[in-house]
Amino acid sequence: AYMAGPEQAGSNQNWRQLSDTIVTITATDKLSFIVNYDYGRGDNIGLTEPAWWTGWAGYMRYAVDDRHAFALRYEWYNDAMGFTTGTVQQLKEFTATFEKRVATRLITRLEYRHDYSNQPTFVKGDSPVQAQDTVAAGLIYVFDSREP
């Protein structure tokens, strides 16, 4: 996908552009992979050169059986000019997810996520830190428009 257009009020001169590319590979009926790459650019925003940012992500999902699956994700984001986050930095994250289908339309998920940066961009208490961890539990109800 490619999106482009003016982003500043009252001006059609300064464009922002974003390219988003996704490749999905279904290796088997149980194993799949996704690679995602983004590139963005903001023209003439008051800097000496156009701002740009980029990122990529890799995903892997394995279905153990009809009810259990796990997934791994790694993401990397480079805000080389501090345009999108306000800080020149590289952000990264790793996520591991365990999924269990408890009924036909009901799924539970347990997830651990580790975010980190080369700059102290997260807050712990009153102090800026370079990393944070998150544990989440979710309950998902699946709606299916194909069923009456």
Side-chain angles (χ1 to χ4, degrees):
Y2 175 75
M3 297 172 278
E7 287 284 327
Q8 295 173 330
S11 173
N12 287 328
Q13 302 299 315
N14 303 321
W15 279 45
R16 188 161 306 164
Q17 303 171 64
L18 177 66
S19 171
D20 180 41
T21 304
I22 301 171
V23 176
T24 302
I25 300 166
T26 304
T28 70
D29 60 340
K30 293 185 175 208
L31 182 63
S32 60
F33 300 93
I34 297 175
V35 176
N36 178 214
Y37 175 75
D38 290 333
Y39 175 81
R41 177 184 163 131
D43 291 339
N44 300 320
I45 54 166
L47 301 173
T48 58
E49 59 187 83
W52 62 273
W53 56 95
T54 188
W56 67 269
Y59 306 78
M60 185 278 306
R61 184 176 188 276
Y62 181 74
V64 177
D65 54 35
D66 290 343
R67 295 183 57 203
H68 303 88
F70 67 89
L72 300 174
R73 179 178 72 227
Y74 177 80
E75 296 178 317
W76 174 84
Y77 182 72
N78 184 20
D79 192 359
M81 302 176 85
F83 179 71
T84 60
T85 65
T87 302
V88 175
Q89 65 180 321
Q90 290 184 8
L91 289 158
K92 301 169 190 164
E93 73 88 13
F94 172 79
T95 302
T97 304
F98 175 73
E99 178 180 295
K100 181 177 181 180
R101 184 175 295 274
V102 294
T104 303
R105 295 185 177 201
L106 199 59
I107 300 170
T108 61
R109 285 194 181 149
L110 180 61
E111 187 169 274
Y112 166 75
R113 177 177 171 144
H114 178 71
D115 296 284
Y116 53 109
S117 173
N118 62 342
Q119 298 296 320
T121 198
F122 305 102
V123 177
K124 184 175 184 177
D126 293 332
S127 303
V129 295
Q130 287 183 266
Q132 68 181 9
D133 296 295
T134 307
V135 175
L139 183 63
I140 301 164
Y141 183 81
V142 179
F143 295 93
D144 191 343
S145 62
R146 296 172 293 181
E147 294 180 9

